[in-house]
């Protein structure tokens, strides 16, 4: 096995630096703590996460683990076919699990929460309500694997259902049966031996070939690369479907196989499963391997083969492309056992002219009749909300135009649909929201209807003055909506669940600028809601921070905005301009008006977490958060063909705005970003002199390394060579004449942002005499999770900005 496939034991910290003067390599630098009060805030216990029971009587409150120690990330990790797994417990790698540490049940009727007693040091994941709302299932981490547990709401007692053999390598390891009497679980096969020995010398070369067949592939991560990894994939991903009752012995369903998914039908008679098979591929992840999609009964016998899918390694690169054949196979939520799936009618290639792009099919048990067409779509299928026997809503989208269509269909009379509404799905102001769903008796989500037959909708409620979540009733004939309730001015109150059949009583999560989020029961016929929880402010050190939405205009007339944060106690007249950091992330649009939409955040309770740039407010910096960086391609033009010009113009407008306000001066402004924001940062330093320095975290800087598309760019490198070249800051490394801090996770798992991107960009900058510091965070993926890594990242950022912005002298004359 190649060493890159296993997370290796690395020094406590790996650092490469070239600040000014000689090039230095530092190995063994200890993790550093950020300055006060950042460390204290990082160590504050997170607020619990709520989940309403299907019977609407109880809230499950899940305690979340804080930032894990680096030792957890240092557990062995295998990178196989697009997955990252922990071989110790046959579940996802620790870098991909947000462990839960506690569970309590809060009665909606009020009163104290009942804490579930768990073993000392317990940590668990993947909680799920039973359809009857009487139990919660979850996966408990154990020394040798994952165990399936359940907690009983009435008694508050928890117990183990299986030994430590749950196979969660592919996620979604269990599914409740509709009667709540048991679960279908993917288990490690009984008697599985030790993992294959892949340490032996290779017996020959690794050979791949493509003989004239067009098969472009995006820059997927963590792919298989040799026969040893194929053997490991088989070992860890092979599972045995097992019916585990709450009472009585378990029994197996069929033979072990590499199951990537399994779901019980609403009537509990069948299991829909997806099983991958050889030959495996070294160029696409497991989700695109050859696969069988089939229905089995509760004895494990196959009763229907839905699809026998080939290797799908030749999907065209445009974002509206898809693989031929059945996809998105699922159970119809409001029927006993009806299959639903989608098939492209244009071969999956959006460049092929076609009146119908996707066709949605249905097939009811016993699966012997021909499938029926539910609806034909002129765009790509984007999901379905089941309502009742004669109502369902089907969504379709087309990326090229950012267009969305919502259709009303009658499942009892399939074959035609009626357009309910059409819109630009990036338009936040006119978003009608989405149907409110709740579990039916079988535990499947279905739409909620008002007493007059209208469908209930909820949405973010974006306006110029802020987001105000709402509950509405939509007429499915006219598409017109009536607001039943909207979050009050100054509040941000979102719906957790609906408690009664008339939709007059809600569980909500309410916050204001000064009040932390808490849970309430709101009666729409009463004035004030009743509080269920009293969670405290997790970071009172930031209570005095002020913020305001600022708006300004780009030279081409596009409206821009950003949220300006100022440190606690700041007085402009007394303190004058501050050192300021702009932290941004560009976005592509097809409509300049939509790109210019402004949404205030004055009604939100904002506290930073993780490696947030907002922690800089505690160190005397002003922060312009998320200043608009729209890249607009109007009237069919490709946005990225003018990326540098639009990006630079947006940055200039933002700088001008904060300088004119008197809160910043031009000599003490920094720019930063993560991922595509890091790419933005490097480009702004290469093409403008607006900033004193930049911080670029986990970015991609050479677009020739992502030749089959990136972000919202659909064209390949060979179709848009000039654009790829001009957008790559690597091309212009010799023009970066401001200091830049590069930070990257050593085990970055994000498509396109391979660590080599920062490694090669650092080499290019160093070779051209730039002032650059390059920090590699061992064991970290695209986002940084370990307490040591997060703390050190914030130390690096603060130290760098203090040196190059806060305490820097006047800018040298050009």
């Amino acid at each position: 096995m190649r060493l890159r496939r296993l997370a290796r034991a690395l020094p406590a910290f790996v650092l490469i630096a070239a600040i000014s003067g000689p090039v230095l390599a530092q190995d063994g630098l200890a993790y550093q703590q950020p300055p006060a009060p950042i460390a204290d805030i990082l160590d504050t216990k997170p607020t619990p996460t709520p989940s309403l029971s299907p019977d609407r009587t109880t809230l499950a409150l899940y305690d979340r683990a804080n930032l894990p120690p680096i030792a957890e990330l240092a557990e062995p990790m295998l990178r196989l076919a697009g997955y990252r797994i922990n071989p110790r417990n046959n579940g996802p790698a620790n870098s991909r699990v947000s462990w839960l540490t506690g569970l309590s049940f809060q009665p909606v009727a009020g009163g104290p929460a009942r804490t579930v007693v768990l073993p000392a040091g317990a940590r668990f994941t993947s909680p799920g309500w039973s359809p009857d709302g009487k139990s919660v299932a979850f996966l408990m981490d154990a020394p040798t694997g994952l165990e399936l547990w359940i907690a009983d709401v009435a008694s508050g007692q928890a117990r183990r259902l299986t030994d430590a053999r749950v196979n969660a390598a592919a996620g979604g390891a269990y599914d409740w049966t509709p009667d709540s009497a048991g679960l279908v679980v993917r288990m490690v096969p009984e008697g599985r031996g030790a993992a294959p020995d892949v340490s032996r010398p290779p017996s020959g070369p690794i050979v791949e070939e493509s003989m004239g067949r067009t098969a472009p592939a995006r820059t997927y991560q963590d792919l298989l690369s040799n026969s040893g990894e194929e053997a490991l994939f088989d070992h860890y991903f092979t599972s045995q479907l097992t019916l585990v009752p709450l009472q009585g012995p378990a029994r197996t369903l069929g033979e072990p196989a590499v199951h990537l998914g399994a779901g019980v039908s609403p009537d509990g008679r069948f299991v829909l499963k997806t099983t991958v098979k050889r030959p495996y591929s070294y160029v696409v992840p497991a989700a695109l391997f050859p696969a069988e999609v089939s229905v089995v009964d509760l004895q494990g016998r196959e009763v229907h083969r839905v699809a026998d899918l080939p290797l799908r390694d030749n999907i065209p690169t445009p974002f509206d492309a898809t693989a031929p054949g059945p996809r998105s196979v699922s159970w119809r939520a409001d029927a006993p056992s009806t299959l639903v799936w989608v098939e492209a009618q244009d071969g999956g290639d959006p460049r092929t002219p076609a009146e119908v792009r996707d066709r949605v099919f249905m097939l009811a048990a016993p699966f012997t009749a021909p499938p029926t067409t539910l609806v034909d779509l002129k765009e790509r299928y984007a999901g379905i909300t089941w309502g009742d026997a004669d109502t369902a809503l089907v969504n379709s989208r087309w990326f090229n135009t950012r267009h969305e269509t919502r259709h009303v269909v009658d499942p009892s009379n399939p074959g035609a649909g009626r357009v309910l509404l059409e819109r630009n799905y990036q338009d936040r102001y006119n978003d009608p929201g989405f149907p409110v769903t709740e579990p039916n008796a079988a535990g499947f989500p279905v739409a909620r209807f008002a007493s007059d037959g209208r469908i209930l909708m909820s949405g973010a409620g974006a306006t110029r003055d802020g987001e105000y979540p709402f509950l509405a009733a939509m007429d499915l004939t006219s598409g017109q909506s009536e607001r039943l309730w909207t979050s009050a001015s100054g509040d941000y109150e979102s719906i957790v669940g609906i408690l009664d059949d008339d939709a007059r009583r809600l569980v909500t999560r309410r916050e204001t600028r000064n009040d932390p989020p808490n849970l309430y029961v709101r009666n729409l016929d009463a004035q004030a809601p009743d509080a269920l929880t009293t969670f405290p402010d997790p970071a009172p050190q930031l209570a005095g921070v002020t913020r305001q939405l600022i708006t300004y205009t780009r030279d081409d007339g596009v409206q821009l905005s950003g949220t300006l944060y100022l440190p606690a106690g700041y007085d402009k007249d007394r303190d004058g301009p501050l050192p300021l950091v702009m932290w941004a992330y560009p976005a592509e649009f097809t409509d300049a008006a939509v790109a210019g939409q402004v949404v205030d955040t004055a009604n939100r309770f904002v506290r930073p977490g993780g490696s947030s740039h907002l922690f800089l407010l505690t160190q005397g910096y002003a922060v312009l958060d998320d200043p608009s960086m729209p890249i607009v391609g109007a009237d069919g033009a490709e946005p990225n063909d003018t990326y540098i010009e639009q990006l630079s113009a947006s940055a200039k407008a933002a700088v001008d705005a904060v300088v004119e306000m008197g809160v910043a001066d031009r000599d003490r402004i920094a720019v930063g970003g993560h991922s595509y924001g890091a790419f933005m940062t490097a480009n702004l330093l290469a093409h403008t002199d607006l900033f004193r320095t930049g911080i670029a975290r986990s970015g991609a800087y050479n677009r020739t390394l992502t030749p089959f598309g990136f972000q919202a760019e659909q064209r390949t490198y060979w179709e848009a060579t000039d654009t790829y070249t001009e957008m790559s800051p690597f091309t212009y490394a010799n023009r970066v004449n401001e200091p830049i801090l590069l930070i990257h996770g050593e085990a970055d798992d994000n498509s396109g942002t391979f660590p080599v991107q920062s490694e090669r960009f650092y080499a290019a900058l160093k070779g051209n005499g730039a002032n650059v510091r390059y920090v590699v965070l061992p064991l970290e993926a695209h986002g940084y999770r370990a307490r040591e890594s997060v703390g050190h990242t914030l130390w690096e950022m603060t130290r760098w900005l203090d040196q190059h912005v806060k305490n820097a002298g006047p800018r040298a004359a050009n």
Side-chain angles (χ1 to χ4, degrees):
M1 170 182 285
R2 299 179 191 174
L3 289 178
R4 68 177 177 85
R5 293 292 165 174
L6 277 170
R8 304 180 295 281
L10 295 173
F13 192 77
V14 177
L15 175 72
I16 302 171
I19 299 176
S20 62
V23 177
L24 304 175
Q26 300 176 19
D27 190 357
L29 175 67
Y31 287 108
Q32 300 295 307
Q33 286 283 351
I38 299 175
D40 291 338
I41 299 173
L42 289 178
D43 294 330
T44 301
K45 183 180 179 181
T47 300
T49 300
S51 174
L52 181 64
S53 63
D55 63 3
R56 310 172 186 169
T57 65
T58 308
L59 283 163
L61 302 178
Y62 300 109
D63 292 329
R64 297 178 289 135
N66 212 329
L67 297 170
I70 194 68
E72 286 190 13
L73 268 64
E75 280 200 71
M77 177 177 69
L78 294 171
R79 311 180 191 187
L80 300 170
Y83 292 92
R84 291 188 173 186
I85 68 165
N86 185 336
R88 175 186 61 80
N89 63 15
N90 220 114
N94 282 334
S95 63
R96 295 190 172 184
V97 179
S98 295
W99 291 107
L100 303 173
T101 58
L103 168 62
S104 59
F105 293 122
Q106 169 67 58
V108 170
R114 185 168 50 254
T115 300
V116 176
V117 178
L118 298 173
R123 64 178 191 176
F124 61 96
T125 187
S126 305
W129 281 104
S130 61
D132 62 9
K134 295 180 179 180
S135 304
V136 169
F138 51 90
L139 302 182
M140 180 76 76
D141 191 32
T144 60
L146 294 171
E147 303 166 341
L148 179 65
W149 284 57
I150 62 163
D152 180 71
V153 172
S155 68
Q157 299 298 309
R159 63 187 176 95
R160 186 180 66 180
L161 282 184
T162 73
D163 57 9
R165 289 194 302 113
V166 176
N167 190 330
Y174 69 85
D175 193 31
W176 279 97
T177 57
D179 59 6
S180 300
L183 307 97
V184 172
V185 188
R186 281 180 263 168
M187 302 287 289
V188 170
E190 187 77 42
R192 185 184 74 176
D197 180 6
V198 295
S199 63
R200 292 167 294 182
S203 58
I206 300 168
V207 178
E208 299 180 58
E209 65 178 18
S210 182
M211 309 303 289
R213 176 173 169 264
T214 302
R218 294 190 176 274
T219 48
Y220 298 112
Q221 299 272 43
D222 303 331
L223 303 178
L224 299 179
S225 64
N226 55 52
S227 59
E229 291 181 356
E230 292 189 55
L232 287 171
F233 178 78
D234 279 334
H235 178 81
Y236 286 106
F237 284 79
T238 296
S239 62
Q240 171 67 66
L241 293 183
T242 306
L243 180 61
V244 179
L246 300 191
Q247 305 293 336
R251 59 183 174 86
T252 59
L253 307 180
E255 298 299 317
V258 181
H259 297 114
L260 294 189
V264 184
S265 61
D267 61 2
R269 297 170 56 202
F270 305 104
V271 176
L272 173 65
K273 64 189 185 79
T274 299
T275 305
V276 300
K277 58 185 180 180
R278 291 175 179 268
Y280 299 151
S281 171
Y282 294 176
V283 297
V284 293
L288 297 175
F289 286 180
E292 294 175 356
V293 183
S294 59
V295 176
V296 298
D297 61 21
L298 293 192
Q299 284 69 49
R301 298 172 299 204
E302 183 174 287
V303 296
H304 179 65
R305 179 74 58 87
V306 183
D308 197 343
L309 301 171
L311 173 67
R312 286 145 290 162
D313 65 347
N314 61 342
I315 299 174
T317 56
F319 294 147
D320 288 316
T322 189
R327 71 182 198 277
S328 301
V329 186
S330 63
W331 293 113
R332 177 177 163 182
D334 63 331
S337 47
T338 296
L339 293 167
V340 183
W341 70 90
V342 185
E343 293 188 36
Q345 302 301 297
D346 56 4
D349 191 341
R351 297 167 297 193
T352 301
E355 182 65 23
V356 175
R357 294 290 180 181
D358 273 349
R359 179 167 292 157
V360 183
F361 291 97
M362 293 193 306
L363 179 62
F367 316 114
T368 53
T372 59
T373 297
L374 177 64
V375 64
D376 283 339
L377 304 173
K378 296 181 179 181
E379 302 164 320
R380 286 284 177 245
Y381 172 80
I384 187 167
T385 301
W386 297 100
D388 53 27
D390 56 9
T391 307
L393 273 71
V394 180
N395 286 5
S396 64
R397 286 188 169 190
W398 200 247
F399 178 84
N400 267 358
T401 57
R402 312 303 197 268
H403 186 266
E404 172 188 43
T405 306
R406 302 188 190 184
H407 311 77
V408 178
V409 298
D410 181 355
S412 66
N413 185 26
R418 176 171 51 80
V419 173
L420 178 65
L421 61 89
E422 298 182 78
R423 60 186 298 270
N424 181 326
Y425 60 74
Q426 290 182 309
D427 180 359
R428 300 172 66 187
Y429 287 177
N430 298 296
D431 186 351
F434 285 91
V436 174
T437 63
E438 64 179 17
N440 60 13
F444 283 71
V446 293
R448 276 292 307 270
F449 292 91
S451 56
D452 58 6
R454 293 181 297 175
I455 194 167
L456 295 179
M457 306 284 286
S458 65
T463 71
R464 166 64 176 78
D465 298 323
E467 283 190 338
Y468 293 94
F470 64 85
L471 178 68
M474 176 180 282
D475 186 301
L476 293 181
T477 300
S478 66
Q480 297 298 308
S481 286
E482 177 193 0
R483 292 284 179 96
L484 305 178
W485 169 80
T486 302
S487 180
S489 177
D491 295 356
Y492 182 89
E493 190 171 0
S494 57
I495 299 172
V496 175
I498 298 176
L499 296 177
D500 64 334
D501 292 340
D502 294 328
R504 304 301 297 173
R505 296 180 65 243
L506 315 174
V507 175
T508 64
R509 182 178 182 272
R510 177 182 174 272
E511 64 186 74
T512 71
R513 173 189 287 265
N514 299 314
D515 301 315
N518 270 287
L519 300 172
Y520 294 81
V521 172
R522 174 171 286 283
N523 187 327
L524 300 189
D525 298 316
Q527 289 295 319
D530 297 320
L532 288 175
T533 61
T534 55
F535 301 135
D537 184 344
Q541 302 92 329
L542 291 162
V545 167
T546 63
R547 71 179 185 271
Q548 68 179 104
L549 180 76
I550 64 171
T551 59
Y552 46 97
T553 305
R554 205 164 71 180
D555 287 344
D556 60 1
V558 174
Q559 297 298 305
L560 304 177
S561 66
T563 301
L564 177 64
Y565 290 82
L566 298 171
Y570 170 72
D571 183 282
K572 183 172 66 173
D573 295 332
R574 180 191 66 211
D575 302 323
L578 292 172
L580 182 141
V581 178
M582 292 187 184
W583 198 268
Y585 193 95
E588 295 82 359
F589 296 87
T590 58
D591 185 327
V594 170
Q597 288 182 346
V598 173
V599 179
D600 202 346
T601 59
N603 61 336
R604 302 304 304 271
F605 183 83
V606 177
R607 294 293 184 267
S611 53
S612 171
H613 51 284
L614 293 181
F615 279 115
L616 295 167
L617 290 161
T618 68
Q619 306 304 305
Y621 289 88
V623 175
L624 183 60
D625 187 37
D626 197 25
S628 304
M629 299 285 175
I631 311 300
V632 183
D635 302 322
E638 292 290 345
N640 283 338
D641 286 349
T642 52
Y643 174 88
I644 298 300
E645 295 88 338
Q646 294 193 61
L647 184 71
S648 300
S650 296
K652 178 181 180 299
V655 168
D656 289 344
V658 293
V659 169
E660 289 171 8
M661 290 179 66
V663 297
D665 68 70
R666 295 185 189 275
D667 281 346
R668 294 198 302 165
I669 300 178
V671 65
H674 190 95
S675 193
Y676 207 53
F679 174 73
M680 169 208 73
T681 296
N683 267 312
L684 287 173
L685 295 188
H687 296 285
T688 77
D689 291 313
L690 295 167
F691 304 101
R692 288 300 296 269
T693 188
I695 298 175
R697 300 189 330 206
S698 298
Y701 310 103
N702 184 348
R703 286 304 169 195
T704 68
L705 299 179
T706 55
F708 289 103
F710 59 90
Q711 202 69 10
E713 178 56 65
Q714 302 184 83
R715 297 168 296 176
T716 70
Y717 170 77
W718 298 275
E719 294 170 328
T721 304
D722 290 345
T723 296
Y724 273 66
T725 302
E726 291 167 7
M727 286 183 69
S728 296
F730 181 86
T731 306
Y732 303 98
N734 61 327
R735 298 186 187 178
V736 177
N737 55 7
E738 298 89 4
I740 183 170
L741 172 62
L742 302 175
I743 303 176
H744 214 120
E746 175 266 341
D748 195 324
D749 56 348
N750 183 56
S751 179
T753 54
F754 299 102
V756 71
Q757 289 272 6
S758 286
E759 176 187 329
R760 293 290 87 203
F761 190 45
Y762 166 74
L765 292 166
K766 174 176 67 70
N768 282 283
N771 292 330
V772 56
R773 181 176 176 90
Y774 172 34
V775 181
V776 180
L777 299 174
L779 308 174
E780 292 291 354
H782 191 59
Y784 317 144
R785 297 205 55 216
R787 172 62 176 80
E788 293 88 339
S789 303
V790 169
H792 191 94
T793 295
L794 293 168
W795 175 81
E796 290 279 359
M797 292 170 60
T798 304
R799 173 179 173 273
W800 186 262
L801 292 169
D802 285 352
Q803 178 181 358
H804 295 289
V805 180
K806 182 189 288 185
N807 301 320
R811 189 192 299 256
N814 292 330

